[in-house]
Amino acid sequence: MLNATPGAGVRGAPSPGALVLVIGVLFIQLGFLLSYIGAFHHPDPQGIPVAAAAPRQAAEKLDRLPGHPLEVTAVKDEKEARRRIAERDDEGAYVMNPRGKQDTLLVASAAGGPQAQALRRVGEKAAVGQGRQLKVEDVTPTGDQDYESLTAFYLIVGWLVGGYLMASLLGVTLGTRPARPGAGALRLSGVALYSVLSGLGGAIIVDPVLHALPGHFVALWWTGALIVFGTAAFTMALQAFFGIVGIGLAVVIFVVLGNPSAGGAFQKHLVPSFWRAIGDWIPTGAGTTAVRNIVYFSGNALATPMVVLAAWAVGGALLLLVGSLRRRERGPALPI
């Protein structure tokens, strides 16, 4: 009698189920390439919010630049322009000097180095077109150990990876679907403890160890804990409904779609409209924005990203508990 390993057909050939998984992996790989290259292959400023302390006619010219790189809001003076940048209403400001030929462009590289550079190029071109000179001032620079404000993005990626790997480990070792809601709640409790430790570890690395994002240890710790818990809970929920395929779906959401749209390497006003539209609503983008706002912008404009992160955490937990009410998986009984 021929013996075959589980999941294999005659003479060890892959089963239809295994072939489906292989095809799924191929599509995820191709989706990864399409998403990253599609987002990053041609960064182009589109509608960057900018304040203009300038006469109305000059502000309108900035708003009507070819290709619409800027979305201009007229303000009364430089003080208001600086306030709008600090409160995250605008990404920069053009301040026209009414008594001279040299204007000032205010940028905030802490919100993303590539965006600040794009604003500088657009501002210099606009000034030359009007026969004026331009001085650039970085009103919110990054820290000495935070090149191009990339640390926030990589910190979030590290936390997210920990979250969905933890959930994947539980799914592979204990079964993708908890046997009952109580077992699901027990998994969530374990993940919560892991999330607190993961958030703590990330905060230690970027603050006292590397000094990349110093001075906000506690805020970063608990932000990280929320991100890890939300990612893990939602990944477990996907597994409860879709089995092992749920791990692949988590990778699609958090990595394939989340990373290019997060505003890490290129900020959202530099990438095509699809990635710009989804970035703020995926934990990768919401987390990156939250960390930058905590560290560099005095905690301004935190409400939206924190609500998004909390929604993923609460939604994932509730969906996991709902999924645990469904029919049990076949196989040996497991304690959790």
Side-chain angles (χ1 to χ4, degrees):
M1 180 180 292
L2 177 66
N3 292 322
T5 57
V10 178
R11 299 186 185 277
S15 68
L19 288 174
V20 169
L21 289 177
V22 170
I23 293 171
V25 170
L26 176 62
F27 274 102
I28 291 176
Q29 176 192 0
L30 296 177
F32 182 96
L33 294 172
L34 176 62
S35 187
Y36 275 66
I37 297 173
F40 297 155
H41 77 287
H42 182 59
D44 183 34
Q46 294 289 318
I48 303 177
V50 169
R56 182 173 179 177
Q57 186 177 10
E60 289 177 350
K61 284 184 178 180
L62 289 173
D63 195 50
R64 294 197 302 264
L65 289 173
H68 193 60
L70 307 178
E71 187 72 37
V72 177
T73 299
V75 297
K76 64 180 180 179
D77 54 25
E78 181 177 342
K79 181 179 179 181
E80 184 179 355
R82 288 176 179 270
R83 177 188 61 78
R84 288 179 63 86
I85 295 173
E87 294 180 359
R88 309 305 295 124
D89 294 320
D90 289 310
E91 302 294 341
Y94 192 102
V95 181
M96 183 171 283
N97 180 5
R99 291 184 288 274
K101 287 285 187 178
Q102 186 178 65
D103 301 330
T104 302
L105 178 69
L106 307 178
V107 300
S109 62
Q115 178 175 260
Q117 295 164 18
L119 280 174
R120 178 172 189 154
R121 289 192 296 270
V122 172
E124 288 175 343
K125 186 175 180 180
V128 169
Q130 299 184 56
R132 304 181 69 82
Q133 297 177 334
L134 190 68
K135 177 183 71 174
V136 180
E137 180 182 347
D138 192 347
V139 296
T140 313
T142 59
D144 293 338
Q145 304 299 315
D146 181 19
Y147 178 73
E148 300 283 16
S149 195
L150 284 169
T151 301
F153 171 65
Y154 288 115
L155 176 62
I156 296 305
V157 169
W159 277 329
L160 285 167
V161 169
Y164 66 71
L165 284 182
M166 179 61 178
S168 301
L169 175 65
L170 291 176
V172 170
T173 58
L174 302 177
T176 56
R177 186 180 305 148
R180 57 192 183 279
L186 187 57
R187 290 194 193 190
L188 289 171
S189 298
V191 164
L193 176 59
Y194 173 85
S195 301
V196 171
L197 294 176
S198 179
L200 174 62
I204 290 173
I205 289 171
V206 298
D207 192 348
V209 174
L210 297 179
H211 307 290
L213 301 175
H216 302 83
F217 183 86
V218 174
L220 293 179
W221 174 5
W222 290 105
T223 300
L226 177 61
I227 291 167
V228 175
F229 181 82
T231 307
F234 200 82
T235 302
M236 289 192 296
L238 290 173
Q239 292 179 93
F241 282 91
F242 301 103
I244 201 71
V245 175
I247 298 175
L249 294 175
V251 171
V252 170
I253 294 171
F254 300 128
V255 179
V256 175
L257 296 177
N259 285 5
S261 63
F266 293 104
Q267 289 63 61
K268 73 176 185 177
H269 294 287
L270 303 180
V271 298
S273 57
F274 171 75
W275 290 269
R276 188 161 63 247
I278 66 174
D280 290 338
W281 313 110
I282 298 178
T284 329
T288 300
T289 298
V291 169
R292 284 174 174 160
N293 289 354
I294 288 169
V295 174
Y296 292 117
F297 297 96
S298 303
N300 288 319
L302 270 180
T304 296
M306 296 306 289
V307 167
V308 169
L309 295 175
W312 282 86
V314 173
L318 291 177
L319 286 172
L320 175 64
L321 296 178
V322 171
S324 68
L325 293 171
R326 304 175 70 214
R327 181 178 60 83
R328 288 190 185 187
E329 301 173 21
R330 294 183 180 180
L334 294 167
I336 293 179

